[in-house]
Amino acid sequence: MADLVVAGAGMAGLAAAAEARRLGAEPLVLEKLGRPGGSMRLSSGVIWRHRDFETFREECPDGDERLQRLLFERLEDDLRWLESLGAPVVDRETGNPLTAGTRFDPAGLTDALVEAAGGLAPDGVRVAERLREPPGDVPLVLATGGFGADRELLEEHVSPEAGHAFLRAAPGSTGDGLRIGVAAGAATSAGLEQVYTRAMPAPPARISEGDLVRLSQLYARHAEVTNEHGESYETATWSEIDVAQWQLRQPRARAWFTVPVEHLGERVRERTVAEMVDAAEAAGAPVRREQEHVTVETVAGVTTTLGGLAIDEHARAAPGVFACGADAGGIATGGYASGLAASLVFGRIAARAALGGAAVSGTLGERP
Ligand SMILES: Cc1cc2nc3c(=O)[nH]c(=O)nc-3n(C[C@H](O)[C@H](O)[C@H](O)COP(=O)(O)OP(=O)(O)OC[C@H]3O[C@@H](n4cnc5c(N)ncnc54)[C@H](O)[C@@H]3O)c2cc1C
């Protein structure tokens, strides 16, 4: 008999299950896709926070300050814990002077967490399909990765145009956590309409799961960005989250990035603009090269939803129901923060609280 049920074997669910095992409990980990890792496995693996709390608040002003404080204060310890599980570190810098964190190899990170979690339930796919409500007799941790893979929910909560977006994430996150949590009495967080997207090469480009990072078009800061009516948008953030939110609401979620040739050599983190444009062209996206400019047609690539269930500092969403990762909203609201970091920190908190521990002090108390 399991001590808790964890729905979802991505970053948040595996962190919760691994923490539960560390505390001597037996988690039952259900995964709808049958393979672990979710979007974490497809990600760049950079787990980060802002360098100072004030900047975090400024950049994500509508988030719940208590949750943000927990994330900010706990991340370093939690990163050390991940390393202690054998998750392979690629870099101890994020490559961004505004943020601090660690880059892990996503496949190795997944494997280390699966091992620490004690593996997935062998019949997890079948049970996950039937899971419509909390089991009742044991606590439930919802870690299903939000609703970015569900067109109808995107159209309902974000914009009618969001249904045209490309799914730049694993396909299992179709809002099950949101539905189960709300049915159990949970409230939704602020910012249910907010989504983190990255511009991707537009059709007929062919993009496989392994190309989601390599084909991102992250150079709005060096481009003129327009929609299909010729209306333009100028980015004001380093993460380009504002362009992302804008693009998802434009006709067919399309935007054209026009770059003056003299900006093609500019670097955005480890790549030049020219390399990103070449990659889009090689994938088959419409690219127009003129003497003075290059124009790339892009489509918004939904990476993760930022709103979800409302949680307290113990990741509690409803009686006996806990939510973490992209299933929990209210952390990056109004801006962008690391989804992997929130999943790691609140996954561990959810497990401790679900098992009756004092999440804030980090000690395990009496089991219920
Ligand atoms: C290309 C890409 C690059 C990224 N790069 C970064 C980065 O560098 N840094 C960063 O911080 N974030 C990054 N992210 C975002 C990050 O991956 C997510 O924020 C993070 O994975 C969210 O964790 P999660 O556990 O909520 O969801 P996931 O990791 O996606 O896991 C959710 C899991 O739940 C499963 N599931 C869904 N429904 C059910 C159900 N009913 N029952 C059982 N299982 C279910 C899904 O199949 C999935 O496996 C990136 C994402 C992508 C796609």
Side-chain angles (χ1 to χ4, degrees):
M1 171 75 185
D3 297 300
L4 82 163
V5 173
V6 177
M11 180 79 233
L14 290 174
E19 176 66 6
R21 290 259 302 187
R22 186 184 73 82
L23 296 168
E26 224 15 87
L28 180 75
V29 184
L30 309 177
E31 171 51 56
K32 184 180 183 175
L33 296 181
R35 59 175 161 88
S39 291
M40 166 179 66
R41 199 184 182 105
L42 309 177
S43 79
S44 309
V46 187
I47 309 186
W48 58 271
R49 62 164 171 72
H50 293 81
R51 275 207 193 268
D52 59 85
F53 189 69
E54 292 64 39
T55 312
F56 187 6
R57 286 291 301 149
E58 265 165 38
E59 290 199 355
C60 303
D62 306 322
D64 181 330
E65 189 168 350
R66 297 164 313 161
L67 303 181
Q68 293 177 335
R69 176 79 62 190
L70 275 171
L71 171 58
F72 188 84
E73 288 173 353
R74 286 172 173 241
L75 186 63
E76 259 180 60
D77 276 355
D78 286 354
L79 287 172
R80 272 195 289 275
W81 174 71
L82 266 191
E83 277 196 55
S84 77
L85 301 181
V89 172
V90 175
D91 201 339
R92 289 184 199 286
E93 295 291 328
T94 61
N96 177 350
L98 296 172
T99 63
T102 305
R103 181 190 281 257
F104 291 89
D105 168 64
L109 172 61
T110 305
D111 293 347
L113 279 168
V114 169
E115 194 179 332
L120 312 190
D123 57 352
V125 179
R126 192 175 54 81
V127 182
E129 269 169 13
R130 294 203 327 255
L131 189 71
R132 298 268 180 274
E133 54 188 41
D137 41 356
V138 285
L140 173 65
V141 174
L142 294 170
T144 70
F147 60 90
D150 189 288
R151 267 180 211 287
E152 281 177 19
L153 286 175
L154 287 174
E155 285 169 355
E156 179 187 340
H157 294 295
V158 182
S159 124
E161 302 301 330
H164 294 281
F166 170 76
L167 178 64
R168 183 182 178 261
S173 296
T174 54
D176 295 346
L178 184 66
R179 277 186 281 263
I180 295 168
V182 167
T188 52
S189 73
L192 213 52
E193 76 293 351
Q194 296 179 21
V195 178
Y196 183 64
T197 73
R198 279 275 165 93
M200 297 298 285
R206 276 182 310 279
I207 304 172
S208 68
E209 272 198 348
D211 282 335
L212 298 179
V213 173
R214 190 179 66 81
L215 291 180
S216 304
Q217 304 292 296
L218 186 64
Y219 49 86
R221 70 203 75 180
H222 297 301
E224 188 191 3
V225 178
T226 50
N227 67 9
E228 69 181 28
H229 302 310
E231 295 155 344
S232 56
Y233 184 87
E234 201 171 320
T235 184
T237 60
W238 61 265
S239 62
E240 302 190 0
I241 180 73
D242 54 336
V243 194
Q245 301 283 9
W246 175 82
Q247 182 169 2
L248 205 48
R249 290 162 175 80
Q250 302 313 302
R252 298 184 302 123
R254 296 292 200 277
W256 283 258
F257 285 25
T258 300
V259 188
V261 286
E262 64 270 21
H263 286 174
L264 288 172
E266 297 281 355
R267 294 195 83 79
V268 180
R269 309 208 191 133
E270 63 272 21
R271 294 178 301 165
T272 62
V273 176
E275 285 165 346
M276 291 186 258
V277 171
D278 291 349
E281 192 169 36
V287 174
R288 203 171 58 243
R289 292 188 186 267
E290 290 161 297
Q291 204 169 357
E292 295 186 354
H293 313 98
V294 180
T295 302
V296 180
E297 184 179 340
T298 70
V299 59
V302 170
T303 305
T304 185
T305 44
L306 298 173
L309 298 169
I311 57 167
D312 66 12
E313 301 104 295
H314 305 279
R316 204 172 278 123
V321 180
F322 301 80
C324 46
D327 279 354
I331 296 165
T333 324
Y336 177 58
S338 166
L340 292 173
S343 301
L344 169 61
V345 170
F346 286 97
R348 293 190 80 191
I349 287 176
R352 290 197 286 266
L355 294 167
V360 172
S361 71
T363 54
L364 182 68
E366 290 285 304
R367 298 253 194 104

